Amino acid sequence: MTRRIEHSCVTTEIDDEGIAWVTFNRPEKRNAMSPQLHYDMEAVMMEIETDESVRVTVLTGAGDSWSAGMDLREYFRETDNDPTAQFRSFTANKHWSWEILSMSRKPTVAMVNGYCFGGAFIPLCACDIAITAEDAVFGLSEINWGILPGGIVSKVIQDFLAQRDAIFYAMTGRTFDGTKAVEMKLANIAVPRERLEEETRALARELMEKNPVVLGYTKQAVKAVRTMDVEMAYEYLRAKSLALRFADTEDTRGRGMEEFLDNKTYRPGFEPVGKKS
Ligand code: ACO
């Protein structure tokens, strides 16, 4: 049975397959991220992260927006002269949209259903996988109204885009669509808007066929080595691999070898080893 969690700016539905559909829910403000939305997301992400029934997290937006970025009124102007309020909302933002989301133990999917501007690039890039409507509109609009891509936006666009694209789009503020976002490797898959949910569900099901512990360790390892040198990456991956053997109580590795080498019942090159009976 689907479980629904309501916050004032975020709605979460955890369906019986284990997919948590997290929806930024301020469609009248194009899901701009207000301080309250950050507090809600912080609570939601902690809840999802510690709920064993959740296997995949999908982030999307209500209406025709994924998110129009930071709320210019509530996140910026209203707290311009209030360092305490700024600290609270900035820290909540950093906590959920980068620290928790980018290193979540569960697979995370950005399902971009429309506008995605400015600060929304942070959760977009923190998600493991991005699937977008072909006609979604992306933009680094900061330049248009007198700020630079802050938070960690300048950093994530340098990390995710080619330098030429990062600088070009930050300087011009030109928008681009979902098809272009895939071409630029900012998103993985672009589909017609009417197929967005169905394709996301298919992707989530594919991820749920893998062993969840192995999947969590894999994504964390691939992300963590990015800033390591080769020697450190070797050491880290060896230690992480040993830790995985301990953490994976289903011994997926051992069963995989047995089924391939001894029983000859499956081919690991093409399919995940079956669940432990
Ligand atoms: N912050 C605060 N309010 C916003 C934001 C935002 N980022 N985006 C939209 N809204 C509000 C509008 O003020 C308006 O509120 P109102 O009804 O009380 O007047 C409502 O959402 C609807 O906005 P419209 O502009 O009327 O909607 P439209 O569909 O025509 O355009 C669009 C949508 C293109 C997203 C437009 O609202 C826009 O350009 N928003 C700003 C996008 C942006 O630059 N984001 C980056 C912010 S900076 C950062 O993230 C670091």
Side-chain angles (χ1 to χ4, degrees), residues 28-30 32 68-72 76 115 117-119 141-142 145 147:
E28 71 292 351
K29 299 291 181 191
R30 306 301 180 263
M70 294 305 151
D71 189 303
L72 300 176
F76 287 115
Y115 294 119
F117 281 108
S141 56
E142 288 91 335
W145 65 277
I147 65 165

Side-chain angles (χ1 to χ4, degrees), residues 23-122:
T23 305
F24 305 132
N25 193 17
R26 301 181 73 213
E28 71 292 351
K29 299 291 181 191
R30 306 301 180 263
N31 305 321
M33 298 188 202
S34 59
Q36 188 57 50
L37 185 138
H38 292 306
Y39 305 143
D40 291 354
M41 281 304 299
E42 204 176 18
V44 165
M45 288 309 301
M46 286 303 279
E47 183 145 357
I48 284 175
E49 198 57 30
T50 52
D51 181 338
E52 292 310 315
S53 72
V54 174
R55 299 285 307 275
V56 176
T57 305
V58 176
L59 290 195
T60 191
D64 61 1
S65 265
W66 196 65
S67 170
M70 294 305 151
D71 189 303
L72 300 176
R73 184 192 306 276
E74 295 185 35
Y75 188 82
F76 287 115
R77 196 167 68 181
E78 285 180 0
T79 63
D80 272 350
N81 300 313
D82 186 343
T84 306
Q86 271 177 10
F87 175 82
R88 282 190 71 212
S89 55
F90 179 89
T91 305
N93 174 14
K94 181 171 176 243
H95 192 206
W96 81 262
S97 72
W98 192 255
E99 291 165 357
I100 304 180
L101 192 55
S102 69
M103 276 296 169
S104 167
R105 294 176 303 153
K106 329 238 178 187
T108 51
V109 180
M111 182 175 95
V112 184
N113 56 306
Y115 294 119
C116 177
F117 281 108
F121 275 55
I122 300 172

Side-chain angles (χ1 to χ4, degrees), residues 117-159:
F117 281 108
F121 275 55
I122 300 172
L124 172 71
C125 293
C127 284
D128 304 325
I129 297 174
I131 175 163
T132 174
E134 288 168 346
D135 63 354
V137 175
F138 296 78
L140 295 163
S141 56
E142 288 91 335
I143 191 72
N144 290 335
W145 65 277
I147 65 165
L148 53 76
I152 201 177
V153 176
S154 289
K155 170 80 176 142
V156 296
I157 60 172
Q158 264 293 352
D159 284 351

Side-chain angles (χ1 to χ4, degrees), residues 104-269:
S104 167
R105 294 176 303 153
K106 329 238 178 187
T108 51
V109 180
M111 182 175 95
V112 184
N113 56 306
Y115 294 119
C116 177
F117 281 108
F121 275 55
I122 300 172
L124 172 71
C125 293
C127 284
D128 304 325
I129 297 174
I131 175 163
T132 174
E134 288 168 346
D135 63 354
V137 175
F138 296 78
L140 295 163
S141 56
E142 288 91 335
I143 191 72
N144 290 335
W145 65 277
I147 65 165
L148 53 76
I152 201 177
V153 176
S154 289
K155 170 80 176 142
V156 296
I157 60 172
Q158 264 293 352
D159 284 351
F160 279 76
L161 302 180
Q163 260 202 60
R164 284 285 181 217
D165 286 330
I167 297 169
F168 178 80
Y169 286 102
M171 289 180 69
T172 63
R174 283 192 198 176
T175 57
F176 52 92
D177 66 14
T179 306
K180 179 75 181 171
V182 170
E183 200 182 295
M184 290 161 66
K185 313 277 189 244
L186 181 62
N188 300 89
I189 303 165
V191 296
R193 191 178 284 237
E194 61 276 12
R195 288 202 1 243
L196 187 59
E197 193 174 320
E198 145 195 2
E199 295 288 339
T200 305
R201 190 179 288 280
L203 172 68
R205 284 178 177 156
E206 183 180 342
L207 293 168
M208 288 190 289
E209 284 174 15
K210 319 289 183 195
N211 176 285
V213 179
V214 182
L215 194 57
Y217 269 57
T218 298
K219 57 172 266 193
Q220 288 178 340
V222 173
K223 289 184 179 192
V225 294
R226 194 161 190 287
T227 53
M228 293 181 195
D229 64 26
V230 171
E231 287 308 318
M232 195 181 283
Y234 262 117
E235 280 305 308
Y236 163 84
L237 289 171
R238 190 163 58 162
K240 188 86 175 167
S241 300
L242 284 172
L244 173 56
R245 287 180 65 185
F246 178 75
D248 177 15
T249 51
E250 293 195 355
D251 187 24
T252 310
R253 176 182 185 271
R255 284 186 300 111
M257 288 198 203
E258 196 178 305
E259 288 185 24
F260 179 65
L261 299 174
D262 304 333
N263 305 340
K264 303 197 181 298
T265 45
Y266 101 120
R267 293 187 301 162

